[in-house]
Structure formats: C-alpha cells, structure tokens
C-alpha cells in the first residue's frame, strides 16, 4: 500500500529529467571533442566515479578516454591501449590514420571486443556497462572497447543447496561466470543463450538458456514473451523476474525452481526446460517447475538408485508428514479418540490433565513459536545463531512443558513436523508446506478428520489445476505420463528408462 | 483483491469462533475412558452396569509431576448404575461423573452369571448402535460371581483388571472372542455362541475357567459351562484355537506320564444325510511336540512314538465324544457349527431344518476321528532321561 505509492511516485520522475534522457537516446556525437566532453559531463554530472582521460598522440590528435573507475581492467588498457598510443605512437607503415573508426577497424588496439558508435545514448550505456569509450577530436564516431572487469566473488560451494555427491560449484553474481559454468557443461552449439535487458534503471542483462531441439518451442516462445513484457525499474535478483512472469501470485506453491547449482540448471535444460539467469544474482530460474521437482535433490541422479529410492521415499513421506501431522494429531485426539491405541490415548490424556488451553490453541501457539524461532535463526548473525536454538529449545521444549503451559505431546508433534519440513531439499519448497499447516489446523480443529480431508482435497484440487507455463504441476503423476513416471518416486536406473530421443535432424549442429 | 481479503478475514473469523465454541470436539481430558463394562442382574431383577474408568493421572505418562511424588495413585474408578437398559444405565452413571463416558477404548465386556443365565438378547443393541462403542471389546462371562466383583480386583501387572483380562485371553491363544465375533456367531444360522468364562478363586483372583454356552433358541442365555479342557476341544472344532496342550499318564501304573503341545490344529466337518438322519464326520488333526516325557518311551523310535500317539488319540477322541454328547443332550446348543456346515454343504436340504435346528442338533450322529501326530521333538532331549 505505502510501498506501491512510493513506487508509483518513483515512476513519475521530473519531466525534465525524462525528456533529457529521451533526447540523449538519439543524440549524435558532435565533431568537436570539447563539446562531446561537455555532453558526457552533463549526462554523468555528479558521478564522481566517471574518469575522463585526455591525451594527445604525436601532439596533434587528441583522444578522450571515458570509463567508470573500477569497472574496467586497468592493466589491459595500460598495456594494450595507452602504451601503443603514447609511447610507440601510431604504428608505422600503416599509413595515415584518418579517424578513430578506422583505428577500430584496423584493429590497432589489441582488445577482443571492439565496436564503434556515434550515438550518445549508446555510448553512455556502453560506459555504464563497463566499456571504455575512446573519442577523437574532430570525429563524430567513438570506439567502445570491452574491457569490463568488475570485482566479484569466486566460485564457491553452494550454501543453499548442499549435496553430498555431485558438483560443488555454484553460480556467482556475475552473469558471464554463470553462463560459462553452464556452457562448460555442454559442448554443443545447441545450448542457446539469448540475451535480453530488463529494468529501466538497472538495465540488467537477463539471459534465457535452453537446449535447441529438446526444448518445447511453445514454452520457449512463452518465456521470451513474458520476459520481454516485464516492466520494472530494477532487477536485483531473479526473484523480481519470477514475480513478474509467474502465472499466479495467489498460490503458496512456487511455480519456478530457483537454483544456484549449474548442474541442476543443466539437468533442467536436458529435460526440455528453460533457464532464466539474471546478472547480479547467483540464483537462476528454471521453468516450468513441477511439484515433484521441489522434493527432488541433485544427489538423486548421482547416487545409486536403491539409495535414492530410500531417500526419496523418506522425503515424500516426511513432506506429507510435515503438512498433516499437527492437524492429524488434533483430529485424532479431539474427535476420533477411538482411533488411537488405548494405552497411548490414556497417556495422552494423562499428559493433558494440566494443560490450560485446548489442543488446537496449544498447537497453534507452538507452531507460531516454531516459525518465529526459524526466522530468528535465519536472520541472526552467525555467532548468535546457536544461542537462539539453545534458548528456543529450552523455552519451548522444556520450560513450557514443565510449567504446564503446553502438554508435552504437542512439543513432540510440532517439532517433528518442523524437522520434517526441513527434510525437503529445496528450502523454499518447504515454506508452502509449512504455510498450509495453519489452515489445516483450523479445519481439523473445527471438523476433525472430515475437515482435514476437505482441506487436503482442496489443496489437491489447487495443485491439479495449477499449470505454470502450461505444464501441469503434478505431472508426471497427474496426468500420468507413462515413461516419466519412472523418475517420479523411484528413480530407475538410466538403462531401464528409455527417454525419447530428440529427432536426428536437430542434432546436426553438434560438434 | 479487497474482496479476497475480506473473504479470508471472514473465513478466519468463522474459524476462530468455531474453535472457541466447538461442536462435538472433546479434549482427551474431558473424557472418562471406559475400559471395561460389567453387566449384572441385581437380586430384584434389574440391570446394573459397572464401568471401569481409567484415571489417566494415576496411570501416568510423563514424569508424574501431576499430583506429586512417589505415592501410588489410584489407576481406576469403578462406577455402577442401574437402568432398564444399557443406555439408561450409562445416563445414570454419567450423573456421577464430571467427564463424558467414552466407550471407544473398552477392553472387555463382562457378564455376571445371573444375568447370563437370565438371557442377554435384549442387551446387545446399544453396543452395536452406538458409533463410539468399541466392538473389539472381548466378551467374557463371569462364573459364580458378579461382573463388578471381577472389575473391582486389582490386576497383577496391568493398571486395571480389564487390561489384564484382555492380555490373558491373548496368552491363552484364543481367537475370535471379540464382541463382534460374538454378534456374528449369534446371527449365523446353525451356530450357537459360546464365550470365554472366568471364575474367581477363593482369594478372589480371577482365573480362566473355560467357556459359557449360550443357547439362541432359549433367548440367548447361558445354559451351561465348559471347563478349560472342553473349551479347548470346542475351539479346535470351531477353529478358534491355535494350539492345544495335552498331558496324560502313559505306560503302566508306575506314574509314567507325558505332555505334548499341539500346533497347527486342523479340522474338517463333513455332513451328509443317511436315511432321515443327519450324519457328521468330524475329522481332527494336529502336529505336536513332546514337551515333557517322564516315561521309558523313546519318541525317536517309531514303535514308541506310535504308542504315544495312539494313547493321545484314544484319550482325545473319548473326551471329545463325551463333550459332544454333553452339549447335545444337556445344552442343546450347536456351538460346534455343525448346522452351519450342513447349511453350506447342503443348502437345499437346509431349508427343511433351518427354523428348528436346535431340535435337530441333539439328534445328530457325530463320528469323531482324531489324528494327532508327534512329529517334532522339543528341546535338546530326544530320548527319555535314564536316571539309573
């Protein structure tokens, strides 16, 4: 509400500023170097990180280098651009150089990427993206040398998706590093990486990666169209893109997978999915996502299939467990006491003798407390983190019970369900499961097993009709897709699963 | 969106109000868990129902902070109430209780002998009709005592007698003695129910006596009892027992004896009609292991083994014939299910006798054939221990 107002205000920038920006878009360079410098100084006014470097070659040709401090490879410029120009002068034997454009064409600078432009707006954008602009006096064309070097993190181990077996590398904030990590996995020209720019302020490079011949063309077209349609000011994380292109905001379930593991993205591409990678974030999006991929871990494909069968069964079981246990407990103890074995029922009744609140309220209290603990542990600086869990365990587990405020089975139920939700390999996929607990709690507190069943059926109906990017969310289970079912619960060994091979004519481009 | 939010808000409000108010939601600490029912007939002919109610705080769970340290707590409360029927009695008992009587965990239903002999045909409905009622309660008849006398006794291991009685039934390897089995037997044509019976020792300790025979034609009343050995035979014939122990003197009169335990008991009942009489061929078999051998016979030798088997078969056959004759003549209740077998094997002829089976049952000619073998040896000892 307040936030939307604020955003709204931002969009209405002073008219003059907008007009100036629009004019600059199409403004050509002038012939006069001083005038050009003034134009750039105007465009970049109050930008202290912009560097102008003027130099004269052989005392007559005046050059102007413009770049953003810290964004370019200084050594590269010194060795490959400045030193040939200043010390060695223009290369001998080449004849007179008429203009700077010619210098570019003749490849006098030993820089890999080089292009020329005479458009002020394009040059400004180029400089902002980490290029070096080279302007010459008396010319209306400038060179843009691609010498970008931004300080970035190294390739580290994935922190949000650890796996015991498999590649350890993870994406970084640098888009190029990320595309390289992906490219390194596919020595084929069929890996396509299309680039787009999103965000009126950040102009973030966003790439759409897919494997030609495997990807569904309709899906690809849909992704392209949706990304092109994005109207935002800035993209600081792929989450902005996710929110802009997801099918519906009103579903607890994520409709695309976000991963910082190149191998997960690569596996998605091989299944015909499309990856969206934005500059400045290590989290790539893979669309479309299915319910089951939220419960599958990368190790599932690296480990022996029997181990995976066990692990997945445990995971699927605990996923259901984490959603249903608290409400199931309430339904049984408050409505259907005859379903609990006699001795256990008496034990539960004995433990409840002192409890001052109804079971539903107890569970709700403890669930909320648990969520609070989880959030606290997540946000706190690392050294304080353990403190929270110790205090939390003491307060919730021990003190609340011995003080008689909650009964001890509740602690067992809530913590077991909480732990179960952490078994889900994709952290964010556990969130919808934890969220859904609350409506189910209320339902089972009102109507017992009947309410619980109604809630579960409602969730299933929602899941069945959810179709992110046209892909049924519960596939391959519903609708059942024969061959792919072999990777639904038990991942059968590759030899036993014959996947449909792509048509041979599409493989022509392979090296 | 605002409509969405409004809807959600309303839903939440409805939810909260329902949680607070709540219709049939009952916390476990608002229930009185009725672990055992005792049905008796008072001297003036009224029905009296006793409820053994578990006291959760006495049985515990947790560290026993409730009620304070160490002292032994009461584990159950016995409440009795009179009424014209079961429901009426429950309503009267409820007046004394601060928690709702909950029969969902009832372990046993005991019937005192006076009531059993009076007939229980009019007492079954509530147990089946009440949706909360546990149909897997075990049904027992108390011989020579009232049901509430049994429930009032302290169990040795369990917190209360109901649980103890149920455990005992399991130990005795008895099968199909749940209330719903009793109902099913009662409602089966050509079959009369019999249920386990317990008695009280001189020290008022309950013990397994055998079983009580009910006669449907006489208003579902107990017409007599079978002792433990007879019950074992009856269970064998009806397939309700998994094992059977047999001890008998063997050889000469010098105190030699042998004990055999039989597992995998089998039976087959063939019925046929010969001239106007219904004949029953009863074939019983089983495989046993010698568990005690205080004789000179060596079961590893074939002739000795045959001697043992013959002695056992002879004794068993004689006793079973006696049992069948007693049930036919004295009780006139077909607890063996011969009628049901006839019904299945000769469905057309059954129609002629179906209404008056209890009159035809005593006239049955039953040919008993027993075929027990001692194929297994138990333990390390195979040959008799020779002290000399």
């Amino acid at each position: 509400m307040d936030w939307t107002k604020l955003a709204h205000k931002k969009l209405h920038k002073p008219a003059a500023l907008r007009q100036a920006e629009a004019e600059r878009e199409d403004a050509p360079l002038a012939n006069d170097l001083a005038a050009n410098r003034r134009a750039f100084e105007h465009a970049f006014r109050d930008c202290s990180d912009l560097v102008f470097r003027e130099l004269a070659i052989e005392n007559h040709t005046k050059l102007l280098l413009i770049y953003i401090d810290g964004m370019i490879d200084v050594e590269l410029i010194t060795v490959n651009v400045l030193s040939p120009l200043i010390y060695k002068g223009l290369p001998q034997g080449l004849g007179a150089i008429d203009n700077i454009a010619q210098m570019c064409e003749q490849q006098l600078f030993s820089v890999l990427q080089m292009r020329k432009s005479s458009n002020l707006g394009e040059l400004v954008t180029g400089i902002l993206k980490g290029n070096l602009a080279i302007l010459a006096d008396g010319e209306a064309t400038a060179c843009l040398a691609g010498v970008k070097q931004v300080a970035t993190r190294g390739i580290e181990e994935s922190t949000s998706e650890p796996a015991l077996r498999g590649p350890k590398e993870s994406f970084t904030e640098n888009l190029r590093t990320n595309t390289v990590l992906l490219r390194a996995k596919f020595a084929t020209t069929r890996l396509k990486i299309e680039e787009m720019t999103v965000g009126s302020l950040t102009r973030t490079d966003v790439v759409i990666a897919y494997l030609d011949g495997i990807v569904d063309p309709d899906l690809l077209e849909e992704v392209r169209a949706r990304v092109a349609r994005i109207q935002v000011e800035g993209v600081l994380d792929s989450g902005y893109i996710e929110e802009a292109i997801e099918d519906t905001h009103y579903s607890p379930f994520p409709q695309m997978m976000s991963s910082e593991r190149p191998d997960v993205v690569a596996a998605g591409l091989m299944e015909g999915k499309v990856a969206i990678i934005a500059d400045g974030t290590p989290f790539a999006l893979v669309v479309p996502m299915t319910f089951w991929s939220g419960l599958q871990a990368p190790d599932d494909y690296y480990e022996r299939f029997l181990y995976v069968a066990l692990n997945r069964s445990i995971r699927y079981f605990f996923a259901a467990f984490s959603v249903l246990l608290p409400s199931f407990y309430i339904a049984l103890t408050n409505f259907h006491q005859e379903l609990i074995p006699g001795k256990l029922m008496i034990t539960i009744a004995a433990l409840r003798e002192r409890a001052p609140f109804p079971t539903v309220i107890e569970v709700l209290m403890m669930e909320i407390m648990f969520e609070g603990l989880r959030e606290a542990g997540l946000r706190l600086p690392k050294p304080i983190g353990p403190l929270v869990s110790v205090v939390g365990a003491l307060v919730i587990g021990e003190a609340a019970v011995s003080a008689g405020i909650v009964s001890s089975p509740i602690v067992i139920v809530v913590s077991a369900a909480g732990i179960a939700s952490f078994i889900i390999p994709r952290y964010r996929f556990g969130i919808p499961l934890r969220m859904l607990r609350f409506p189910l709690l209320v339902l089972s507190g009102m109507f017992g097993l009947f309410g619980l069943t109604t809630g579960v059926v409602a969730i299933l109906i929602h899941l069945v009709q959810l179709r992110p990017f046209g892909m049924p969310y519960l596939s391959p289970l519903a609708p059942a897709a024969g061959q792919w079912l072999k990777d639904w619960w038990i991942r059968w060994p590759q030899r036993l699963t014959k996947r449909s091979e792509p048509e041979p004519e599409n493989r022509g481009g392979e090296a | 969106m605002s409509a969405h939010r409004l809807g959600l808000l309303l839903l939440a409000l409805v939810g909260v109000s329902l949680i607070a108010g709540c219709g049939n939601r009952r916390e476990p600490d608002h229930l009185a868990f009725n672990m055992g029912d005792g049905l008796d007939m008072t001297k003036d002919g009224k029905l009296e129902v006793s409820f053994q109610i578990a006291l959760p705080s006495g049985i515990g769970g947790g560290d026993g902070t409730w009620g304070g340290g160490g002292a032994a707590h009461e584990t159950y409360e016995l409440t009795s109430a009179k009424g014209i029927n079961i429901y009426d009695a429950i309503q009267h008992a409820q007046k004394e209780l601060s928690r709702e009587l909950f029969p969902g965990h009832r372990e046993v239903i005991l019937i005192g002998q006076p009531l059993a002999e009076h007939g229980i045909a009019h007492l079954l409905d509530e147990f089946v009709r009440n949706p909360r009622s546990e149909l897997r309660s075990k049904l027992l008849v108390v011989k020579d005592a009232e049901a509430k006398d049994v429930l009032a006794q302290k169990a040795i291991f369990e917190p209360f007698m109901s649980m103890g009685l149920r455990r005992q039934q399991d130990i005795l390897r008895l099968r199909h003695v749940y209330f719903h089995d009793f109902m099913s037997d009662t409602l089966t044509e050509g079959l009369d129910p019999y249920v386990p019976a317990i008695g009280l020792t001189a020290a008022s300790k309950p013990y397994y006596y055998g079983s009580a025979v009910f006669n449907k034609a006489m208003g579902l009343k107990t017409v007599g009892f079978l002792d433990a050995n007879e019950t074992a035979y009856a269970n064998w014939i009806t397939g309700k027992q998994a094992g059977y122990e047999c001890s008998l003197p063997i050889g000469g009169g010098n105190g030699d004896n042998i004990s055999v335990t039989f597992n995998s008991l089998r039976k087959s009942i063939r019925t046929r009609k010969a001239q106007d009489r219904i004949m029953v061929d009863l074939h019983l078999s089983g495989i046993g292991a010698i568990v005690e051998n205080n004789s000179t016979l060596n079961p590893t030798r074939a002739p000795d083994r045959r001697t043992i088997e013959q002695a056992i078969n002879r004794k068993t056959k004689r006793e079973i014939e006696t049992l069948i004759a007693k049930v036919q003549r004295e009780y006139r209740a077909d607890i063996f299910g011969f009628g049901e077998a006839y019904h299945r094997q000769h469905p057309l002829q059954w129609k002629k006798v179906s209404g008056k089976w209890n009159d035809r049952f005593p006239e049955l000619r039953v040919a008993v054939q027993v075929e027990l073998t001692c194929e297994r040896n138990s333990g390390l000892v195979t040959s008799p221990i020779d002290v000399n």
Side-chain angles (χ1 to χ4, degrees):
Chain A
M1 296 147 279
D2 288 337
W3 181 86
T4 42
K5 265 183 205 160
L6 194 68
H8 205 58
K9 203 183 273 176
K10 263 205 232 158
L11 281 175
H12 292 88
K13 284 170 286 191
L17 195 57
R18 261 187 301 148
Q19 200 185 344
E21 255 178 34
E23 275 172 17
R24 197 170 63 221
E25 283 295 314
D26 302 318
L29 276 185
N31 272 331
D32 180 26
L33 190 62
N36 281 339
R37 176 170 181 157
R38 270 196 304 281
F40 277 106
E41 275 173 347
H42 180 72
F44 284 102
R45 64 185 178 281
D46 301 333
C47 297
S48 61
D49 54 345
L50 195 77
V51 177
F52 294 93
R53 171 76 161 93
E54 270 189 65
L55 62 148
I57 305 168
E58 295 176 353
N59 299 322
H60 55 89
T61 315
K62 282 176 83 180
L63 289 180
L64 176 62
L65 308 183
I66 310 174
Y67 61 93
I68 290 178
D69 200 11
M71 266 183 107
I72 59 165
D73 188 345
V74 179
E75 199 190 328
L76 194 73
I77 297 176
T78 320
V79 174
N80 295 349
V81 180
L82 280 184
S83 96
L85 286 176
I86 299 173
Y87 302 116
K88 295 174 189 157
L90 287 174
Q92 301 301 308
L94 283 173
I97 303 296
D98 292 334
N99 55 36
I100 187 111
Q102 214 175 338
M103 285 168 69
C104 291
E105 272 161 28
Q106 292 183 5
Q107 312 223 335
L108 293 186
F109 305 120
S110 37
V111 174
L112 271 172
Q113 289 177 9
M114 204 74 179
R115 67 197 155 97
K116 55 191 178 172
S117 170
S118 55
N119 183 304
L120 187 61
E122 193 184 338
L123 285 169
V124 166
T125 310
I127 293 168
L128 288 170
K129 292 258 174 196
N131 292 297
L132 170 73
I134 306 167
L135 286 82
D137 195 15
E139 282 169 38
T141 310
C143 271
L144 278 174
V147 289
K148 181 177 183 181
Q149 191 186 52
V150 182
T152 180
R153 213 159 47 94
I155 297 173
E156 286 164 13
E157 201 170 319
S158 168
T159 48
S160 63
E161 296 164 75
L164 280 180
R165 182 156 180 193
K168 300 274 184 195
E169 65 197 3
S170 69
F171 286 135
T172 70
E173 283 76 10
N174 188 322
L175 179 64
R176 277 298 145 228
T177 314
N178 297 350
T179 54
V180 163
L181 284 173
L182 206 53
R183 177 66 76 180
K185 300 221 180 274
F186 295 101
T188 166
T189 53
R190 283 163 60 193
L191 172 64
K192 307 296 183 193
I193 299 182
E194 293 178 10
E195 190 156 326
M196 295 174 130
T197 306
V198 180
S200 57
L201 279 181
T202 57
R203 306 244 179 130
T204 309
D205 290 327
V206 174
V207 301
I208 298 175
Y210 57 92
L211 282 175
D212 201 12
I214 295 179
V215 72
D216 174 13
D218 296 337
L219 166 70
L220 179 62
E221 204 44 57
E222 182 67 32
V223 173
R224 276 189 197 136
R226 286 195 195 181
V227 173
R229 234 184 287 143
I230 299 176
Q231 294 277 346
V232 287
E233 289 198 311
V235 174
L236 300 181
D237 183 83
S238 51
Y240 288 65
I241 296 173
E242 177 176 2
E243 190 172 287
I245 67 174
E246 68 183 357
D247 284 68
T248 169
H249 302 306
Y250 303 110
S251 169
F253 293 95
Q255 292 144 57
M256 52 201 84
M257 193 160 78
S258 82
S259 175
E260 58 171 348
R261 295 179 61 98
D263 54 326
V264 170
V265 174
L269 297 188
M270 287 198 287
E271 286 174 8
K273 294 176 178 172
V274 176
I276 303 168
I277 311 172
D279 194 18
T281 172
F283 289 98
L285 300 173
V286 181
V287 291
M289 183 193 185
T290 63
F291 182 83
W292 311 107
S293 56
L295 297 174
Q296 292 166 359
D299 317 34
D300 285 7
Y301 297 90
Y302 306 144
E303 217 13 295
R304 301 190 59 228
F305 101 98
L306 280 174
Y307 306 169
V308 174
L310 170 71
N311 287 347
R312 262 198 198 168
S313 309
I314 299 247
R315 233 179 275 144
Y316 285 14
F317 170 74
F318 274 103
F321 193 75
S322 81
V323 185
L324 299 176
L325 180 67
S327 31
F328 196 62
Y329 176 80
I330 289 177
L332 285 195
T333 55
N334 279 4
F335 289 88
H336 314 282
Q337 291 91 348
E338 62 274 11
L339 293 182
I340 305 178
K343 272 187 147 179
L344 179 62
M345 193 60 241
I346 292 173
T347 308
I348 290 174
L351 291 169
R352 263 204 62 81
E353 287 290 315
R354 267 210 299 184
F357 300 111
T359 315
V360 190
I361 304 295
E362 276 189 320
V363 175
L364 272 175
M365 272 176 6
M366 294 304 280
E367 282 287 356
I368 290 166
M369 219 38 225
F370 181 85
E371 291 296 304
L373 259 183
R374 181 186 58 79
E375 189 67 11
L378 192 69
R379 301 288 162 218
L380 272 176
K382 261 182 194 154
I384 315 179
L387 186 74
V388 172
S389 43
V390 169
V391 171
L394 273 179
V395 168
I396 290 187
E398 199 56 44
V401 171
S402 56
I405 292 169
V406 295
S407 57
S408 42
I410 304 295
V411 179
I412 300 169
V413 166
V414 169
S415 50
I419 301 285
S421 78
F422 292 138
I423 283 171
I424 290 151
R426 309 208 164 275
Y427 174 75
R428 66 198 295 257
F429 197 75
I431 300 172
L433 300 186
R434 280 204 299 277
M435 273 170 65
L436 288 172
R437 252 184 235 167
F438 290 95
L440 287 181
L441 275 181
V442 174
L443 278 173
S444 68
M446 281 156 59
F447 306 115
L449 277 184
F450 171 73
L452 179 59
T453 316
T454 312
V456 170
V457 168
I459 293 170
L460 286 179
I461 289 174
H462 171 72
L463 283 173
V464 163
Q465 60 91 44
L466 196 61
R467 301 172 74 93
F469 291 86
M471 169 87 117
Y473 202 54
L474 283 183
S475 65
L477 183 66
Q483 212 41 247
W484 289 93
L485 274 178
K486 290 190 174 169
D487 182 24
W488 165 59
W489 187 303
I490 293 166
R491 182 193 62 81
W492 292 100
Q494 296 271 326
R495 204 185 296 171
L496 302 180
T497 53
K498 265 187 253 147
R499 286 193 180 160
S500 55
E501 285 289 314
E503 305 89 284
E505 60 260 34
N506 281 344
R507 322 178 86 189
E510 225 164 331
Chain B
M1 182 51 215
S2 62
H4 266 274
R5 283 199 184 149
L6 199 68
L8 283 174
L9 193 69
L10 276 176
L11 190 73
L13 281 176
V14 168
V16 167
S17 62
L18 276 169
I19 284 178
C22 78
N24 59 345
R25 192 175 64 82
R26 292 153 314 162
E27 294 287 344
D29 52 336
H30 295 169
L31 295 176
F33 292 100
N34 169 17
M35 305 309 285
D37 279 4
L39 310 183
D40 287 310
M41 192 168 68
T42 54
K43 296 224 166 56
D44 49 350
K46 275 191 180 163
L47 173 71
E48 185 183 34
V49 186
S50 307
F51 305 94
Q52 187 168 46
I53 296 160
L55 300 181
S57 53
I59 298 163
D63 50 3
T65 43
W66 182 247
H73 303 294
E74 286 295 319
T75 53
Y76 67 90
E77 171 73 27
L78 195 62
T79 304
S80 298
K82 294 188 179 75
I84 60 164
N85 60 20
I86 305 277
Y87 187 78
D88 193 37
I90 292 175
Q91 292 314 305
H92 285 116
Q94 190 66 64
K95 287 174 191 158
E96 297 174 18
L97 299 170
S98 62
R99 294 183 182 186
E100 186 186 341
L101 263 176
F102 181 78
H105 287 295
R106 185 178 49 215
E107 306 258 0
V108 292
I109 300 170
L110 301 182
I111 299 171
Q113 189 176 351
L115 179 66
E117 284 175 346
H118 176 259
I120 57 168
H122 289 308
L123 300 175
L124 303 176
D125 185 78
E126 202 274 344
F127 292 108
V128 187
R129 194 178 297 273
N130 183 352
R132 304 238 170 248
S133 170
E134 168 70 292
L135 289 179
R136 287 180 308 159
S137 307
K138 296 205 169 178
L139 187 66
L140 298 162
V141 170
V142 181
K143 188 175 184 289
D144 298 328
E146 298 220 307
K148 71 174 171 191
D149 298 338
V150 175
L151 289 178
Q153 301 305 316
K154 278 210 172 0
I156 301 170
F157 301 105
E158 285 76 14
F160 32 75
M161 189 45 78
S162 307
M163 213 179 258
L165 291 173
R166 187 195 181 92
R167 286 275 168 82
Q168 194 182 34
Q169 300 286 307
D170 296 337
I171 297 300
L172 289 166
R173 298 198 278 177
L174 294 179
R175 295 191 284 138
H176 306 301
V177 288
Y178 291 128
F179 185 79
H180 63 73
D181 295 311
F182 173 75
M183 285 304 291
S184 145
D185 286 356
T186 305
L187 299 174
T188 303
E189 270 191 282
L191 184 65
D192 280 279
Y194 66 106
V195 302
I198 51 174
L200 283 177
T201 60
S204 285
K205 286 286 164 203
Y207 70 101
Y208 172 68
Y209 174 80
S211 51
V213 176
F214 283 85
N215 189 317
K216 280 198 294 194
M218 298 164 76
L220 203 59
K221 70 181 191 183
T222 299
V223 284
F225 290 86
L226 304 178
D227 65 21
N229 197 37
E230 289 169 328
T231 305
Y233 292 137
N235 285 343
W236 186 359
I237 296 169
T238 51
K240 289 181 182 177
Q241 191 141 14
Y244 152 60
E245 280 81 26
C246 174
S247 299
L248 72 162
I250 202 157
N254 52 354
D256 282 3
N257 58 66
I258 196 160
S259 283
V260 189
T261 177
F262 291 96
N263 287 308
S264 46
L265 300 178
R266 288 171 199 284
K267 52 114 187 190
S268 109
I269 302 172
R270 307 297 315 167
T271 55
R272 64 196 150 86
K273 202 155 179 206
Q275 288 108 35
D276 211 26
R277 293 196 71 163
I278 297 167
M279 314 284 284
V280 178
D281 295 324
L282 180 61
H283 183 96
L284 300 168
S285 62
I287 300 169
I290 292 168
V291 288
E292 187 166 346
N293 182 8
N294 301 318
S295 73
T296 51
L297 295 168
N298 183 350
T300 54
R301 295 211 320 266
D304 281 7
R305 204 183 82 183
R306 215 166 298 127
T307 312
I308 298 171
E309 286 172 357
Q310 277 168 358
I312 293 171
N313 284 337
R314 220 178 304 126
K315 169 182 182 270
T316 310
K317 182 170 187 282
R318 195 177 57 239
E319 287 179 3
I320 288 177
E321 280 169 347
T322 316
L323 166 71
I324 291 174
K326 172 178 162 189
V327 172
Q328 276 182 315
R329 264 183 285 111
E330 290 178 28
Y331 302 155
R332 300 173 76 86
D334 184 3
I335 59 171
F336 307 111
F338 294 148
E340 196 199 355
Y342 187 60
H343 185 184
R344 285 176 191 227
Q345 289 161 14
H346 307 282
L348 292 175
Q349 278 137 336
W350 170 258
K351 283 180 183 155
K352 290 181 211 152
V353 295
S354 71
K356 44 197 186 240
W357 182 251
N358 279 70
D359 297 331
R360 303 299 299 272
F361 171 67
E363 302 166 7
L364 289 181
R365 274 257 179 106
V366 185
V368 183
Q369 200 188 345
V370 180
E371 199 181 316
L372 290 169
T373 50
C374 302
E375 285 182 10
R376 287 193 293 266
N377 254 302
S378 151
L380 299 169
V381 194
T382 52
S383 53
I385 297 170
D386 192 357
V387 185
N388 305 319

